Amino acid sequence: MQAWIVVGAWAFAVVFAVVVLGFAGYEITWKTRRLAAERAKLEQVAAELARTGAQLQAAAERFR
C-alpha cells in the first residue's frame, strides 16, 4: 500500500514538472518573439528619428 503512495507521489511530481517546464518553455518562446517584434518597431522609430534629426540639421544649416 505504501509503495503505491510513493509511486503516485513520484508520478505526480514528474507530471507537474513536465507541465511547469512546458509552460516555462512556451513563455520564453512567446516573449522572445514579442521582444523581436518590438525591437524591429523600435529600430524603425530610431531610423525615423535619425532622418528627422538630419532634416532639422539641414534646415538649421540653410537658416544660417
Side-chain angles (χ1 to χ4, degrees):
M1 177 74 175
Q2 291 176 351
W4 286 107
I5 293 173
V6 172
V7 170
W10 273 105
F12 175 77
V14 168
V15 169
F16 184 74
V18 168
V19 168
V20 168
L21 291 176
F23 180 73
Y26 165 76
E27 281 288 316
I28 289 171
T29 302
W30 176 73
K31 289 186 181 200
T32 301
R33 288 181 185 160
R34 183 175 149 206
L35 178 63
E38 290 182 0
R39 182 178 179 195
K41 288 179 187 176
L42 183 60
E43 287 175 354
Q44 183 180 7
V45 169
E48 184 178 336
L49 180 62
R51 285 191 305 269
T52 304
Q55 290 173 352
L56 285 173
Q57 190 173 14
E61 290 297 323
R62 283 192 308 254
F63 182 71
R64 289 182 193 180

